[in-house]
Amino acid sequence: MSQTRKKTSSEGETKPQTSTVNKFLRGSKAESRKQNNDLKTTDSQPSDWIQKTATSETAKPLGLEMELRSSMEKNEHFLQKLGKKAVNKCLDLNNCGLTTADMKEMVALLPFLPDLEELDISWNDFVGGTLHSITQQMHLVSKLKILRLGSCRLTTDDVQALGEALEMIPELEELNLSWNSKVGGNLPLILQKFQKGSKIQMIELVDCSLTSEDGTFLGQLLPMLQSLEVLDLSINRDIVGSLNSIAQGLKSTSNLKVLKLHSCGLSQKSVKILDTAFRYLGELRKLDLSCNKDLGGGFEDSPAQLVMLKHLQVLDLHQCSLTADDVMSLTQVIPLLSNLQELDLSANKKMGSSSENLLSRLRFLPALKSLVINNCALESETFTALAEASVHLSALEVFDLSWNKCVGGNLKLLLETLKLSMSLQVLRLSSCSLVTEDVALLASVIQTGHLAKLQKLDLSYNDSICDAGWTMFCQNVRFLKELIELDISLRPSNFRDCGQWFRHLLYAVTKLPQITEIGMKRWILPASQEEELECFDQDKKRGIRFDHGRFQ
C-alpha cells in the first residue's frame, strides 16, 4: 500500500508575543485544503528553534527560559534522530519505525506544542497498546485539527482511550484510523463524542473490519456531521448489511465532496439504495464504487439520480462487472456530467461489445482529464468510436488503453488525438498487441513535436515489435523532453536480446533531463552493452534506474 507524504508549507505568519517554544510551529495549512481534499506535499524549511529570544520575552524568568531552551534542544534532537524536521504546526512521524522509547519521548514533547494542529504517527506498529499515553496529553494540544493513526495496530484499549480523548480536541477536522482492525465493532466507542456542530470534515476508515452494527451507528451519526466533506469506508465488506442506514444518513450530509466505497461488497440492490441518497449530494466531487464485483446489473434500472451530481469530477467504476444493460443506462447519464474530469471504467470486460454509444458520447465531456479504459476487451467498433470521440478531449492528461488487443495494428485511428493532445502527460498502451507500424507511427508523432508534455509512456508487453521498430522509436524518444518514466518491458514468459537500438536509447537518455526510470525487464544485454551501460552510469552520474534482463 502506497502512502502520500502529507506535509504543510510555511506561511511565515507572526504573532505578537509568540513564545520561543512555538516559533518552530508557525502557520498551518489545515485551513487551506483543496476542494478535492487531497493534501499535497510541500517541503518547508524548519524554523529556527534556537533563535535569539525576542525582545518582548526578556521579561520572562531566566529559569523558565533556560528550561524552554533545553526542552527545545531535546525536541530538535528527537526529530533529527528520526530524520524529521519541525514544519509549521505539524508533527509528522509517519512511518518512522517508532520504538516504545520514541513514543515516550514524543509524549514528553507534547506539552511544549500547545499550538500543534497536525499530528501524524501512521504506520508505526509500536503505537498499538501505548496510545493512552498520548490521549492523556490531548488536553495540551486542544488546537489539533488533523489526527492520523493509520496502520498503528491499535488495540481495543487504544480505541476506547481515543474515544474518550476526542472531546478534548474540539477543533478536529480530519481523523484517519485506516488499517486498524480493532476499530471494527468498536466504532461507537470512538465517535460517540462527536456532537451536532462538530467541525470534522474528513473521516477515513479504510479496511477497519467495520461491522454491520458499526454501519448502523455511522448512519445515525452522519446527520450531526454537517461539515463532513470526505467519507472513506473502503474495504469494509460487512457494512453492506447496514447500507440502508448509511444511505439515510448521507441524505443529511449536503456538504459531502468525496464518497469512497471501494471493495465494500456492494450488490445490485446497493446501487438502488445509494441512488436514493445521490439527489441530496449536490456538492459531491468524487464517487468511488470500484472493485464491487457483484454490482453488475445494478445500474440497469437505477442510474437516474447520478445525473443530480452536477459537480461530480471523479467517477470510478473499475472492476464492477458492468453488464451490457448497465452500459446502456450509463450512456444516458455519464455524458451529462459536464464537470467530469476523471473516468475509470477499466476491467469491465463486457463493455467490449456494448460500449460503442457510451464511448462515442464521451466527446460531450470537455473537462475530462483522465480516461482509463484498460482491460475492457474493446472490439474494433468500440475502439473506433472511442478514437473518434477522443479527438474532442483537448484537456486529456491521462489516457490508458492497456490490455485492449484491438489497438494493435490500429494505432493510426488515434493519430489525430495524439497530434492534438497538447496536455497529455501519461499514455499507457501496455499489452495492446502493438506492431512495428504502430511504434513507427508513434515515433513520427513524437518527431514532429507532438506529445511534448508526455511524462510517462508505457509500451510494455508488446512483444511483436521488431528491432527496426524499436530503433525508430529510440531515435525519436529524445524529443520527449519532459519524459520521466518509460517502460518497454517484455512479457514474463519472453526473453530477448537487445538489438543495436539500445545505443540509440542510451544516447536519447542524455537528451532527457527529467528521465528517472526505464523499464526493460527481460531484455538481455550482451556483455558489450552491459559495459556501455556501466560507462554511462559512471559518466553521467544521474539517478536513472535501468530495470533490465533478469537483474536490475
Side-chain angles (χ1 to χ4, degrees), residues 46 68 76 105 150 166 246 260 303 537 545:
L68 293 177
E76 184 179 23
E105 286 192 64
L166 286 182
I246 295 174
K260 296 183 180 181
D537 288 339
R545 178 174 175 266

Side-chain angles (χ1 to χ4, degrees), residues 174-289:
E174 177 183 336
L175 178 63
N176 187 340
L177 300 176
S178 297
W179 298 293
N180 287 291
S181 61
K182 294 301 182 181
V183 171
N186 294 302
L187 194 62
L189 294 178
I190 304 172
L191 303 184
Q192 62 185 344
K193 300 297 184 181
F194 284 156
Q195 301 295 328
K196 192 171 184 179
S198 169
K199 295 183 179 180
I200 195 73
Q201 297 178 17
M202 182 184 299
I203 297 178
E204 295 177 289
L205 300 170
V206 179
D207 197 10
C208 283
S209 300
L210 298 184
T211 64
S212 181
E213 290 75 17
D214 291 327
T216 300
F217 166 78
L218 184 61
Q220 296 168 349
L221 178 67
L222 286 175
M224 299 184 186
L225 310 181
Q226 292 298 301
S227 298
L228 192 65
E229 296 183 358
V230 177
L231 179 61
D232 191 348
L233 303 177
S234 298
I235 320 181
N236 288 288
R237 299 185 64 85
D238 290 338
I239 64 169
V240 71
S242 53
L243 194 62
N244 273 307
S245 177
I246 295 174
Q248 190 64 31
L250 287 173
K251 294 178 182 180
S252 301
T253 56
S254 57
N255 291 313
L256 196 68
K257 292 182 172 62
V258 177
L259 177 60
K260 296 183 180 181
L261 297 172
H262 162 90
S263 192
C264 282
L266 302 185
S267 63
Q268 294 181 7
K269 183 179 177 182
S270 303
V271 179
K272 296 177 174 63
I273 294 173
L274 290 171
D275 198 48
T276 62
F278 288 153
R279 70 168 67 185
Y280 301 93
L281 302 179
E283 295 300 317
L284 201 67
R285 273 25 177 208
K286 181 172 184 175
L287 177 61
D288 184 355
L289 302 178

Side-chain angles (χ1 to χ4, degrees), residues 74-89:
K74 290 179 181 178
N75 296 343
E76 184 179 23
H77 174 72
F78 170 65
L79 293 178
Q80 287 178 343
K81 178 180 69 173
L82 298 172
K84 295 290 184 176
K85 297 177 181 178
V87 182
N88 304 325
K89 298 178 181 180

Side-chain angles (χ1 to χ4, degrees), residues 40 55 88 226 282 312 343 352 360 372 378 516 547 552:
K40 302 298 181 181
T55 306
N88 304 325
Q226 292 298 301
L312 196 66
L343 178 61
S360 178
V372 182
L378 295 184
T516 60
D547 187 356
Q552 290 182 14

Side-chain angles (χ1 to χ4, degrees), residues 48-241:
D48 190 355
W49 289 17
I50 318 297
Q51 287 278 4
K52 290 194 298 182
T53 308
T55 306
S56 62
E57 294 179 322
T58 56
K60 290 185 177 181
L62 182 60
L64 177 59
E65 186 69 22
M66 294 283 288
E67 181 182 351
L68 293 177
R69 287 176 180 272
S70 175
S71 298
M72 288 187 297
E73 288 174 356
K74 290 179 181 178
N75 296 343
E76 184 179 23
H77 174 72
F78 170 65
L79 293 178
Q80 287 178 343
K81 178 180 69 173
L82 298 172
K84 295 290 184 176
K85 297 177 181 178
V87 182
N88 304 325
K89 298 178 181 180
C90 165
L91 184 58
D92 181 3
L93 301 178
N94 172 30
N95 196 26
C96 282
L98 294 179
T99 64
T100 303
D102 293 330
M103 289 293 295
K104 291 180 179 178
E105 286 192 64
M106 189 197 73
V107 171
L109 181 153
L110 291 180
F112 299 95
L113 309 178
D115 292 330
L116 189 68
E117 293 186 356
E118 179 176 344
L119 176 61
D120 187 350
I121 51 176
S122 300
W123 300 93
N124 288 288
D125 291 346
F126 281 98
V127 173
T130 65
L131 192 65
H132 66 279
S133 63
I134 300 174
T135 57
Q136 290 172 356
Q137 305 293 326
M138 281 297 187
H139 64 285
L140 301 174
V141 288
S142 59
K143 297 180 181 179
L144 202 65
K145 295 183 178 181
I146 299 173
L147 178 60
R148 300 193 185 106
L149 298 168
S151 192
C152 285
R153 294 192 178 184
L154 299 183
T155 65
T156 302
D157 290 340
D158 292 330
V159 167
Q160 185 170 356
L162 177 62
E164 294 170 354
L166 286 182
E167 63 181 343
M168 301 178 193
I169 43 177
E171 302 297 317
L172 192 66
E173 296 177 359
E174 177 183 336
L175 178 63
N176 187 340
L177 300 176
S178 297
W179 298 293
N180 287 291
S181 61
K182 294 301 182 181
V183 171
N186 294 302
L187 194 62
L189 294 178
I190 304 172
L191 303 184
Q192 62 185 344
K193 300 297 184 181
F194 284 156
Q195 301 295 328
K196 192 171 184 179
S198 169
K199 295 183 179 180
I200 195 73
Q201 297 178 17
M202 182 184 299
I203 297 178
E204 295 177 289
L205 300 170
V206 179
D207 197 10
C208 283
S209 300
L210 298 184
T211 64
S212 181
E213 290 75 17
D214 291 327
T216 300
F217 166 78
L218 184 61
Q220 296 168 349
L221 178 67
L222 286 175
M224 299 184 186
L225 310 181
Q226 292 298 301
S227 298
L228 192 65
E229 296 183 358
V230 177
L231 179 61
D232 191 348
L233 303 177
S234 298
I235 320 181
N236 288 288
R237 299 185 64 85
D238 290 338
I239 64 169
V240 71

